[in-house]
Amino acid sequence: MNFRTFAGGAGAQVCASSLTMSRATAPRPMIARTGESGNTASRLTRAVIALLLTSSVAWSAASAQETPELGSTVETLLDYARANNPEYAAMRLEAEAATERVFPAGALPDPVFRTELRDVTNAASGAGASLLPNRVGSTRYLVMQNIPWFGKRDLKREVAQSTVEEAKGKADTTWAELAARIETAYARYHQATQSVRLFREIVDLLDRLERIAQVRYASGLSPQQDVIRAQTERTAAQTEQVVMESEVIGMRAMLNSLVNRAANAALAEPRSVRPLPAPAALEFSVIAEQVRARNPELFSDEARIRGAEKTRALVHANRYPDFSLGISPIQMGDRFNEWELMVEINIPLQQKARRHQEREAETMLSAARLRRDATISRILGDLGRSLAALEAARRTEILTSNSLLPQADLTFQAALVAYETGRADFATLLDAQRQIRQAKLIRIRAQAEAHVRLSEIERLVGERL
């Protein structure tokens, strides 16, 4: 924001005349008063600063309201766990460490340097013994470099790369399992919180029923037993409320431990759970294809198979010899008089040992493939069970919300009217109240079960649906 001050000249005259024309009082002499102008500017500056501070505070408050509290949604917990969970961080570091092994796996080994002092007694020249290179008969220097057979270095690098992919798959598997545990605990946390709210409502309802029973008992229209029954039912509801409150505390502690916080750390109450995907998106054939393409455990198994294949190729390449190249200058006195070149080849004579190594590589490759097949069978079996359980929970929630709960509510209203008019006893009214409570608990339980099963499906897929 820019503030400009115009002084003197026509600009001052225009401002002064405008100010004079706007006043409804009698004309006054236009006399410049420095003190009043300074006070006016000071008040204007203070007003602008106050306006800016008020806007800043309001913006900060609005931003704080828009920022979700930790625990209010499952997404806040997942983001916090991704940044702070030590197990997931350790798996990522192991994957990074595996990446650092790729280059050394295909690098050449360190060269070898050798020095030989010949005729250190100087028997040929008659001089005394010495260990100085220029005062012995001759000194031979040798630099050798071992070079694997063609393609072996690339195969070693590819084997190391497969271990990197396997480590990344394990890290993704760790995250998928951690996210599923967080979402499961959050669903139970939401279920327990909703149950506590429900039992508070039930306790309030039973308080009203008790007052009705007391009025009818005072009027001689019902026995005292009705009042006692209402009090007993309220105490039972309060007991279940205490159990649910302890469940809330337990789920809060579990969520805190999963995101690496103190067990007794504060956690916001859950606002709501996310909507379930459409039934068409949860068809077994659709999810099975996603599992085959994205499951991190299968990704690790595929990487292990590729590593076994490269290891087998490397073992077969060991049939061919490695060789070494060397260069050797020979020093006599203070001069290098001779140069030698050397080629060294190891002879692969231990063929029986290599055949055992080759059979080992083939066996490990077969085992890796069978492990992949076993993983697919297990994952698809878990997927089928989770989809069936999710569909059952979805249908239970729909039936409860659309049929059972409205029927129980109508039954309760009818029983309440009948009791107030003396056409039904208090036991019928309490039974109708229990039906409403049971229907709401069934709906809450079905919602939580559906989200638990959804988290299991997303763990198998490896990402959120």
Side-chain angles (χ1 to χ4, degrees):
M1 182 178 295
N2 297 324
F3 298 95
R4 296 181 181 178
T5 302
F6 299 94
Q13 296 176 2
V14 171
C15 292
S17 60
S18 299
L19 180 61
T20 304
M21 295 296 294
S22 63
R23 295 182 178 180
T25 58
R28 297 180 180 179
M30 297 178 62
I31 301 174
R33 298 181 179 179
T34 307
E36 293 181 0
S37 300
N39 293 334
T40 302
S42 178
R43 288 195 297 271
L44 177 61
T45 302
R46 288 197 297 269
V48 171
I49 293 176
L51 178 61
L52 291 176
L53 290 175
T54 304
S55 302
S56 176
V57 171
W59 180 82
S60 300
S63 300
Q65 293 177 356
E66 294 176 358
T67 303
E69 296 180 84
L70 183 63
S72 60
T73 62
V74 69
E75 287 77 13
T76 59
L77 293 169
L78 292 175
D79 293 340
Y80 192 92
R82 188 183 292 273
N84 297 279
N85 183 268
E87 182 181 4
Y88 179 53
M91 297 301 295
R92 286 185 298 175
L93 291 176
E94 290 181 2
E96 293 179 8
T99 304
E100 301 300 329
R101 291 194 290 264
V102 174
F103 180 80
L108 288 171
D110 292 332
V112 176
F113 175 76
R114 181 187 302 169
T115 301
E116 298 179 4
L117 299 179
R118 299 174 176 177
D119 192 15
V120 295
T121 60
N122 289 311
S125 62
S130 177
L131 295 178
L132 298 177
N134 60 344
R135 293 184 180 181
V136 297
S138 63
T139 301
R140 182 172 181 262
Y141 302 96
L142 175 62
V143 179
M144 295 179 59
Q145 175 64 62
N146 180 266
I147 300 177
W149 188 259
F150 304 103
K152 286 186 179 181
R153 292 172 58 199
D154 293 336
L155 288 173
K156 290 179 180 179
R157 188 180 296 111
E158 291 170 355
V159 170
Q161 183 62 41
S162 67
T163 61
V164 173
E165 296 173 357
E166 183 177 354
K168 290 181 178 179
K170 290 181 178 179
D172 292 340
T173 301
T174 300
W175 171 248
E177 293 176 351
L178 176 62
R181 292 168 61 189
I182 291 175
E183 293 190 0
T184 298
Y186 186 83
R188 299 302 184 194
Y189 182 44
H190 182 268
Q191 176 187 359
T193 305
Q194 294 296 107
S195 299
V196 169
R197 293 175 182 173
L198 173 61
F199 282 114
R200 288 173 182 170
E201 296 174 0
I202 295 299
V203 169
D204 292 339
L205 175 61
L206 290 172
D207 285 339
R208 292 195 297 270
L209 295 182
E210 180 187 356
R211 288 193 294 269
I212 294 174
Q214 287 175 347
V215 170
R216 288 182 58 81
Y217 170 67
S219 303
L221 300 176
S222 63
Q224 186 181 10
Q225 185 180 2
D226 291 354
V227 179
I228 298 174
R229 284 182 178 178
Q231 294 173 349
T232 304
E233 194 73 16
R234 181 185 59 189
T235 302
Q238 289 174 337
T239 302
E240 295 185 21
Q241 177 182 340
V242 171
V243 173
M244 286 296 101
E245 288 174 349
S246 66
E247 184 70 14
V248 170
I249 296 174
M251 288 297 102
R252 186 183 297 124
M254 178 179 293
L255 286 171
N256 280 326
S257 66
L258 290 174
V259 300
N260 194 29
R261 299 175 75 226
N264 59 347
L267 203 64
E269 287 194 2
R271 295 178 183 174
S272 61
V273 291
R274 60 193 175 107
L276 297 174
L282 295 175
E283 293 290 338
F284 180 83
S285 58
V286 176
I287 301 299
E289 289 299 322
Q290 296 180 11
V291 167
R292 293 179 183 273
R294 304 173 187 173
N295 181 269
E297 195 172 353
L298 286 178
F299 182 81
S300 294
D301 289 345
E302 293 290 347
R304 189 181 295 113
I305 291 174
R306 290 192 293 272
E309 291 173 346
K310 298 302 179 181
T311 301
R312 180 185 61 177
L314 180 60
V315 171
H316 283 286
N318 287 336
R319 297 176 180 178
Y320 303 96
D322 298 333
F323 54 94
S324 299
L325 298 178
I327 183 171
S328 175
I330 299 177
Q331 178 183 359
M332 299 182 67
D334 294 328
R335 300 176 57 188
F336 289 93
N337 295 332
E338 299 179 10
W339 289 82
E340 297 178 351
L341 296 178
M342 185 196 72
V343 177
E344 180 181 280
I345 299 177
N346 65 316
I347 302 175
L349 292 179
Q350 304 298 329
Q351 294 299 320
K352 185 176 181 180
R354 287 181 175 79
R355 295 297 178 266
H356 283 284
Q357 294 174 352
E358 292 170 3
R359 285 194 292 270
E360 177 193 3
E362 290 287 351
T363 304
M364 293 300 296
L365 177 58
S366 300
R369 289 171 176 168
L370 291 175
R371 186 177 291 108
R372 187 264 318 272
D373 295 340
T375 301
I376 291 176
S377 298
R378 173 175 53 81
I379 289 176
L380 293 181
D382 294 342
L383 176 63
R385 288 192 294 271
S386 297
L387 286 173
L390 174 59
E391 181 62 23
R394 187 204 300 269
R395 294 176 61 184
T396 300
E397 180 185 358
I398 292 175
L399 287 173
T400 304
S401 300
N402 298 339
S403 180
L404 182 59
L405 192 55
Q407 294 170 358
D409 186 64
L410 290 176
T411 301
F412 175 76
Q413 297 298 331
L416 180 61
V417 173
Y419 177 71
E420 291 176 340
T421 57
R423 297 194 306 271
D425 57 5
F426 196 69
T428 303
L429 182 60
L430 289 180
D431 185 64
Q433 174 268 328
R434 293 191 192 101
Q435 291 180 7
I436 291 181
R437 178 177 61 184
Q438 189 65 23
K440 290 184 177 180
L441 285 175
I442 291 175
R443 182 175 63 180
I444 293 173
R445 191 181 304 116
Q447 290 176 348
E449 185 65 21
H451 284 85
V452 168
R453 298 302 179 178
L454 178 62
S455 66
E456 293 177 357
I457 294 171
E458 291 176 337
R459 175 182 63 83
L460 298 175
V461 174
E463 62 183 23
R464 305 193 79 189
L465 299 177

